[in-house]
Amino acid sequence: MNQISTGIGQPVSRIDGKAKVTGQARYAAEIHPPGMVYGFVVNSPIARGRIEAIHDEAARAVPGVVEIMTHRNRPHTALFEKSYMDGLGVPGQPYRPLHDEKVEFNGQPVAVVLAETFEAAREAAMLLEVDYQRWPHNADFEAAAYQKYMPSKTRSNYVPPKSRGDARAAYAFSPIKISGQYHLAPEHHNPMEMHATTVVRGDDGELTVWDKTQGPQAIQAYLASALSLRKGKVSVMNPYVGGAFGSGLRAQYNVFLAALGSLMLERSVRIMLTRPQMFTHVFRPEASMEIALAADTDGTLQSIIVDGVTDTSRFEHNMENIVPWGLINYKCPNATADYKVAPRDTYTSSDMRAPGAATGVNLFEMAIDEIAYACEMDPLAFRLHNYSDIDAMHDMKLTSKALREALAEGAERFGWAQRSMAPRSMREGRELIGWGMATGIWDAMFSPTSARATLTANGRLRISIAASDIGTGTYTILAQAASEAFSMPIDRIEIELGDSTLPECPTEGGSWTAASAGAAVWQACQSLRDDLLHALRKAHDAPGWSRKDGVILRDGELHAEDGAQTPLTLEAALRFAGKSVLEVEETAKPGLRGTISQMRKARFTHSAVFCEVRVDEELGIVRVTRLVNAVAAGRIVNPKTAASQVRGAMVMATGMALHEESLMDERVGRFMNHNFAEYHIPAHADIQEMEVLFVEEKDKEVSPLGIKGVGEIGMCGTAAAIANAIFHATGQRHRNLPITPGA
């Protein structure tokens, strides 16, 4: 089958772009069912305690207020804790909104005001008075670290890292060594679209829930379980998502409360969180890593020791893979790692873009830069000297690893060979210039996924799958997979996403959607093609050339291979076959159609990041003036959207390195800087030249189409490259992120 110009590998512009820029795309808070009421959440100002009294007289007197929902008058919900477990499966006791009078974190919802207008709901919420009994709490990370623990195996889904050799003995006897504590501040998701839910109640009592989520089927299952509803009584829609980055992996409290309010009033309900309320739920955990590295005088690593801690709530055990990355990526005979969580009286920390790796890879790559300088070796040369061709932690072969090529191509494009080794050796005027680099690694995952392909009577192809497009370009890349598999121009392909009733697809996250959903779409289209030709062969009035071995699909038409007959349109082909529509559903799984079992080899995406910074010597202000990221990610479906994904992650990583920091007021257990005035994210002036290169990497084993995801890899290593460049510019080593003026 011939590849056409809109197939895999082509830089196709986003097919949903026009809908977004013209306002035709509808998001969770832009659905307007008749008779809808507005909900406004009232949040607890204390970190731990119990509600003693709720004074709602003044709030109920506000014109337009319909009801005030609290733990005292809410509808019935499921009795058992396990019914509130969401798709992410975080161990522990799941949070149950408005369950009882107990307060477990600052910002916990204690009431929802339901009114005819948003303004009335907000005004009444400000008038609601709640009396609390305050209990002692701890929101300080350093204090919580004294209580760090690892949950028992029965309460944990965490797989501990695998040690090798005797790392502590090797460290003691090695001639060159470094050690230190590296720290990452907590970060909050700040997507353009804030979390919102609109619940549309049908005449039959069924709920159609429009939610900002990365997984409509996960939300459907959660609501049905937590609210004791038949699964068929609730469906979830999220055709457009204005960014999520992990905040939509879990069911946030707005969706539960909106559905609960709808059940209470038997009306449609909308709840949209404010920007400050976005700081009352999920965030990237604060982290500390004790890293010790040792090497011989020739720069050969002899010992890796990593001890990591991240924070979690007291009621759940959120764990991340922050410690194994160096053990995996570097050749070293002696390596060990340990990891624990520290309980705080906050909401549960959770996934944020490249969870675990964004923390662990960046902090470890900062330490690698330190040991390279201790060995008086160029940081790039040091990494190549200790390069591992296998997953060194598990002694396992890889499906592919083109990191060496990424290092070479990235270094050449950046001009690394012109770099002077000595810190503070490059300057221009009052600015010190620094060049730094780091490597990145992220899992290349694949999950069983289903897709439906439908050939309609007008000859158009419709692809249906319950995937989400969180701004990553999923609509476009799935259309490209279908375009190539069915040999049809992309403008004749319709993509249906973001609907829990569509064929099963895992929650979008972890960079697995392109590989998993793409494979499902490809297989469905291949099967549809086969079924069409089979139907034609069986038809009484089928054209004489409709034998499978003599017919090909090209540009949305059937052609005789010898070119002797006029092409047959797909509309005509369906008529000949006596079909008004033809439909196929397929499920892509590991091991299917030439893909090996995923357990035989390790699977990763890799990158090499090179950075230039300029530091004002007097003011300490850092400018990131150049970033080059060379990525090895298997087959690239769309180089335009893929490069956009990597650049977006590099922008976020710049925030991690220089800007983003959620500051806790330990006295009340609340993040103080809960707005864009005080929580700093990169602005246009902070982002200058960014270049993304994709290194050729053919991998027939990682997934059916040889695809690895790219959504997370840009986070892994970029912040470290910036930190390492700052050291090269200033000669001052920083072990805490973000690095701010005066640090």
Side-chain angles (χ1 to χ4, degrees), residues 91 150-160 319:
M150 172 53 66
S152 63
K153 291 183 179 180
T154 58
R155 303 171 67 192
S156 169
N157 53 13
Y158 178 74
V159 178
M319 289 162 285

Side-chain angles (χ1 to χ4, degrees), residues 7-9 399-400 442-447 476-478 480-482 484 510-523 588 595 598 603-606 631-639 641-642 694 697-711:
I8 292 175
T399 60
S400 62
W442 176 251
D443 293 298
M445 292 177 276
F446 183 86
S447 298
T476 307
I477 63 170
L478 296 187
Q480 289 182 255
E484 181 167 317
S511 296
W512 59 59
T513 300
S516 307
V521 168
W522 177 279
Q523 290 177 201
T595 305
Q598 290 195 349
R603 313 162 313 280
F604 297 105
T605 301
H606 298 91
V631 178
R635 190 180 185 191
I636 303 301
V637 181
N638 184 324
T641 58
F694 290 112
E697 184 180 55
K698 295 181 179 179
D699 193 327
K700 297 180 180 179
E701 299 176 292
V702 69
S703 65
L705 298 180
I707 297 168
K708 300 178 179 180
V710 297

Side-chain angles (χ1 to χ4, degrees), residues 59-73:
R60 288 184 180 275
V62 174
V65 170
V66 177
E67 184 58 273
I68 297 176
M69 185 171 62
T70 71
H71 69 279
R72 294 174 176 172
N73 66 351

Side-chain angles (χ1 to χ4, degrees), residues 631-714:
V631 178
R635 190 180 185 191
I636 303 301
V637 181
N638 184 324
K640 179 184 288 188
T641 58
S644 177
Q645 279 297 289
V646 177
R647 280 195 299 270
M650 291 162 72
V651 172
M652 289 186 70
T654 302
M656 172 183 279
L658 301 176
H659 304 281
E660 295 194 47
E661 182 178 15
S662 299
L663 299 169
M664 173 66 72
D665 185 341
E666 288 85 3
R667 297 169 300 174
V668 295
R670 173 172 291 224
F671 290 106
M672 299 180 290
N673 53 335
H674 46 62
N675 53 66
F676 280 163
E678 296 169 313
Y679 183 91
H680 296 160
I681 58 175
H684 284 86
D686 299 305
I687 305 303
Q688 298 190 31
E689 184 180 337
M690 286 186 173
E691 188 172 4
V692 179
L693 313 175
F694 290 112
V695 176
E696 183 176 358
E697 184 180 55
K698 295 181 179 179
D699 193 327
K700 297 180 180 179
E701 299 176 292
V702 69
S703 65
L705 298 180
I707 297 168
K708 300 178 179 180
V710 297
E712 262 93 353
I713 189 63

